Amino acid sequence: MSVSDVKGAFQRVTTDRKIDVKDVDTILESAGSISKEEQKAIKAEADKFAGMMEPAAKKKLQTKLGEIDSLRRDAAEVNRDVKASAAKLSSEAGKLLTVGTATKSFGGSPIPDAVKNAVNNQLKNGATAYDVRELKPDPIYDTSHGEPELTVEGKFNPYSQESNAADSLAFKHTELTPAKIAEDMNTVQTFNVITGVKDNRATYEKVSMKGSGNITELYDEASHSDTFARGAGGQKYASNFAILADGSLHAVPAARRSKADPGLILTTASLARGKQMLFNGHIHMEKGVVTYVGMSGRLCKQQEKEGMKFVDPVEIIKAWGFPMAPGLKVTNEG
């Protein structure tokens, strides 16, 4: 939003000669990312129309504007930490991607030279290794999750979650390899399958069966007592996935919870666990065959507006040796 847009928003909400609490929501929401210039403009326009502003609206706007500078400072601090750790993380991944040297992924799997070559070549051609902790510098007024609030979004993922590689988020559990998928599909196992929700808690049925080799969208807001529970038919993962800096593929567990932070719904950003990413988005699989790969909307925007380059996930998936649907290409989810 520009300064002129801020002024236009005030003009629209004051056609009835008053500014109420809902009008404040409208002004802040329409601003999008609130830059320092837009912040000044909002304050100036609020002073200009002070006579029309209801007391509750004035208090709310003052409170929200007071949060902006603090959020901007917090974002800057996080980004300083991200920058400070970048060299160490890049060096760590670079060693694992050394061609001709036996190395293992973060999840403990041998990394094929084909994968190393695919990743190294794309990095040399300008692909970005990024940290999902990195934040946008300017706060936004977010109304998408109930009560509106000022917040700072991640640059590469809206949630910018920090998670630990433990429980269902252990690297070895979230890692996708052809060998792991094949073993899961060929082994009879006993596990809980999610059957529904009761009193906001997931319900399960214990079954003995082989893994399905399927990955589709899975989402719920229920709490889970079994963070390793699977979806219908033995689906082990949700479709949210990422390629980490070592070239390994990881997907969010089906229950989308970890005992390390049971109240947090896991997202793609949760898969970073302190490592850099090369790609994130969605993956679908049918009986072990990769049928869909989507590039997250946030990466699409960075690619379009900032000119950033990211790895071709299909090339890396192919290098790992995954069976793929004919003509598989990356779908832009922006």
Side-chain angles (χ1 to χ4, degrees):
M1 189 178 185
S2 66
V3 170
S4 61
D5 289 330
V6 170
K7 294 180 178 180
F10 271 92
Q11 290 291 340
R12 289 192 298 275
V13 301
T14 55
T15 55
D16 59 357
R17 308 301 297 170
K18 66 181 180 66
I19 299 176
D20 59 22
V21 169
K22 290 185 178 180
D23 292 331
V24 171
D25 288 337
T26 298
I27 292 166
L28 293 174
E29 182 181 9
S30 63
S33 294
I34 304 174
S35 68
K36 290 183 178 180
E37 291 74 20
E38 291 158 356
Q39 181 182 353
K40 292 178 182 177
I42 292 172
K43 290 180 178 178
E45 292 300 295
D47 290 341
K48 179 179 177 181
F49 292 99
M52 298 184 189
M53 195 168 293
E54 295 180 353
K58 182 178 181 180
K59 182 179 180 180
K60 182 171 187 176
L61 185 59
Q62 288 176 337
T63 299
K64 296 303 178 184
L65 288 176
E67 296 173 4
I68 291 178
D69 289 334
S70 176
L71 287 170
R72 194 174 280 125
R73 287 193 297 270
D74 291 344
E77 182 177 353
V78 169
N79 289 344
R80 282 193 293 270
D81 290 341
V82 168
K83 185 176 182 179
S85 63
K88 180 180 178 181
L89 293 175
S90 295
S91 176
E92 175 191 38
K95 291 177 182 178
L96 297 180
L97 293 170
T98 303
V99 177
T101 301
T103 59
K104 291 185 177 181
S105 68
F106 299 134
S109 298
I111 306 175
D113 275 353
V115 172
K116 296 176 182 179
N117 282 321
V119 172
N120 287 331
N121 289 338
Q122 294 190 61
L123 290 175
K124 288 178 183 177
N125 288 327
T128 302
Y130 57 91
D131 193 323
V132 292
R133 294 176 301 163
E134 185 173 349
L135 298 172
K136 290 184 176 182
D138 298 321
I140 67 162
Y141 195 59
D142 185 11
T143 60
S144 62
H145 296 90
E147 182 65 24
E149 63 174 346
L150 274 165
T151 185
V152 180
E153 286 190 328
K155 180 176 179 178
F156 298 99
N157 188 287
Y159 302 105
S160 185
Q161 292 177 350
E162 289 192 56
S163 300
N164 296 317
D167 190 55
S168 61
L169 272 180
F171 288 115
K172 65 179 181 180
H173 182 70
T174 62
E175 186 179 52
L176 307 177
T177 69
K180 286 186 175 185
I181 297 297
E183 181 181 9
D184 189 59
M185 292 175 62
N186 292 322
T187 305
V188 176
Q189 306 154 70
T190 300
F191 47 73
N192 283 327
V193 169
I194 303 167
T195 57
V197 179
K198 183 177 181 180
D199 297 329
N200 201 39
R201 297 184 66 83
T203 57
Y204 312 109
E205 177 186 0
K206 182 169 287 189
V207 300
S208 293
M209 61 186 298
K210 296 178 180 179
S212 65
N214 296 339
I215 300 178
T216 60
E217 282 85 0
L218 289 176
Y219 185 81
D220 69 74
E221 295 182 348
S223 60
H224 281 263
S225 58
D226 183 359
T227 54
F228 291 90
R230 300 197 182 198
Q235 182 176 333
K236 190 174 181 179
Y237 304 102
S239 62
N240 304 69
F241 100 111
I243 299 177
L244 298 186
D246 63 346
S248 59
L249 277 65
H250 294 260
V252 169
R256 302 190 67 143
R257 295 295 192 284
S258 172
K259 288 182 179 178
D261 194 349
L264 181 70
I265 298 175
L266 302 179
T267 70
T268 311
S270 308
L271 295 171
R273 293 155 291 185
K275 308 298 184 184
Q276 291 177 328
M277 283 186 181
L278 301 176
F279 184 90
N280 72 85
H282 295 89
I283 190 169
H284 293 179
M285 192 177 288
E286 294 181 12
K287 297 181 179 179
V289 178
V290 179
T291 59
Y292 174 88
V293 179
M295 183 178 189
S296 79
R298 188 56 56 92
L299 293 194
C300 291
K301 291 177 181 177
Q302 292 295 338
Q303 186 172 258
E304 178 184 352
K305 296 181 179 180
E306 304 296 332
M308 299 187 76
K309 292 179 65 176
F310 301 97
V311 299
D312 179 353
V314 174
E315 185 176 336
I316 296 174
I317 289 169
K318 181 180 180 180
W320 273 104
F322 283 95
M324 300 186 300
L328 180 67
K329 293 182 179 180
V330 182
T331 298
N332 184 323
E333 296 182 344

